[in-house]
Amino acid sequence: MLKEQKKGRLEVITGPMFAGKTEELIRRARRFYYANKKFLIFKPVLDDRYSDEYIVSHNAKKEKSININTSLEIERYITDDVYAIIVDEAQFFDEKLPEVLNNLADRGFLCIAAGLDKDFRGEPFGVMPTLLALAERVTKLTAICVVSGLDATRTQRLINGKPAFYEDPIILIGASESYEPRARQYHEVPRKTVN
């Protein structure tokens, strides 16, 4: 007799800003809702762009979420009747997130994390490389490059209309900045010149 197979797994949705990562999480959450499967959505307290109580896509779709400071807090919300654990803006979480989600997947839960794979410099962002390596399934989305119309795989940070410098902080809270999706060829990250 075969041992009953565990159904747990880790899935990652990634890509640049404006690729539809949060929208895809919301789409999946609504499928769980219609299938009467209990799910929990978590997001970092740091992400307060649109709402403190919801994950919100750029096109204003939203789904109720739980704000947490650290990934270890996820455990306190887990009960046996939870089917799926969803994490948005995973790149902002601490280094324990991959371990937490991997352990929950080992226990039989479906874990889905979404986040930016690259920071504004075009380099791997936070815990995302580890999550991508651990995942059984990866969905890599692209946006549309605002300069060329090509597939955008990068996020361009603009400060006062000019590309941010490589030396600028990875995360700027409350800065006068904006972001655009860009193709590799149109992604600019200048270095500060030393006089």
Side-chain angles (χ1 to χ4, degrees):
M1 182 175 200
L2 290 174
K3 186 178 176 182
E4 184 181 338
Q5 289 184 328
K6 291 183 179 181
K7 294 184 177 19
R9 69 180 180 273
L10 174 58
E11 297 184 14
V12 176
I13 301 165
T14 193
M17 288 185 70
F18 306 106
K21 298 177 301 298
T22 301
E23 188 171 344
E24 177 62 16
L25 283 182
I26 291 168
R27 185 188 75 80
R28 292 188 189 193
R30 290 184 177 166
R31 288 175 57 91
F32 297 140
Y33 174 78
Y34 293 127
N36 291 316
K37 303 277 190 186
K38 183 175 178 179
F39 61 90
L40 298 172
I41 300 176
F42 298 93
K43 73 174 191 168
V45 169
L46 178 69
D47 179 26
D48 60 359
R49 292 170 298 168
Y50 298 118
S51 171
D52 289 335
E53 299 176 349
Y54 295 88
I55 59 169
V56 182
S57 67
H58 292 295
N59 66 2
K61 290 183 180 175
K62 64 183 182 177
E63 195 67 45
K64 188 82 169 146
S65 64
I66 302 165
N67 285 5
I68 55 175
N69 285 302
T70 71
S71 54
L72 293 174
E73 292 176 53
I74 292 172
E75 276 287 345
R76 76 172 72 143
Y77 293 93
I78 304 304
T79 55
D80 288 340
D81 61 338
V82 171
Y83 176 76
I85 296 134
I86 299 171
V87 177
D88 198 16
E89 302 294 351
Q91 76 278 356
F92 291 139
F93 277 103
D94 56 88
E95 72 283 347
K96 289 285 190 185
L97 183 63
E99 180 183 341
V100 168
L101 295 182
N102 203 45
N103 289 341
L104 288 167
D106 285 346
R107 288 170 42 198
F109 296 99
L110 170 57
C111 299
I112 306 171
L116 296 167
D117 55 345
K118 293 184 273 297
D119 60 27
F120 80 93
R121 297 172 179 164
E123 297 176 350
F125 202 160
V127 297
M128 290 302 291
T130 305
L131 287 171
L132 289 163
L134 293 172
E136 279 83 15
R137 185 176 299 159
V138 173
T139 303
K140 187 148 184 178
L141 303 174
T142 59
I144 304 291
C145 176
V146 299
V147 176
S148 66
L150 298 170
D151 280 348
T153 59
R154 312 262 174 131
T155 301
Q156 178 71 58
R157 179 190 283 167
L158 299 171
I159 298 179
N160 298 322
K162 297 190 183 306
F165 289 105
Y166 182 89
E167 295 81 5
D168 288 338
I170 299 294
I171 301 169
L172 288 176
I173 306 298
S176 60
E177 59 189 318
S178 62
Y179 294 94
E180 293 178 346
R182 298 272 183 102
R184 175 189 292 269
Q185 302 89 322
Y186 298 94
H187 182 246
E188 301 174 67
V189 188
R191 297 274 185 166
K192 289 183 179 175
T193 56
V194 179
N195 293 333

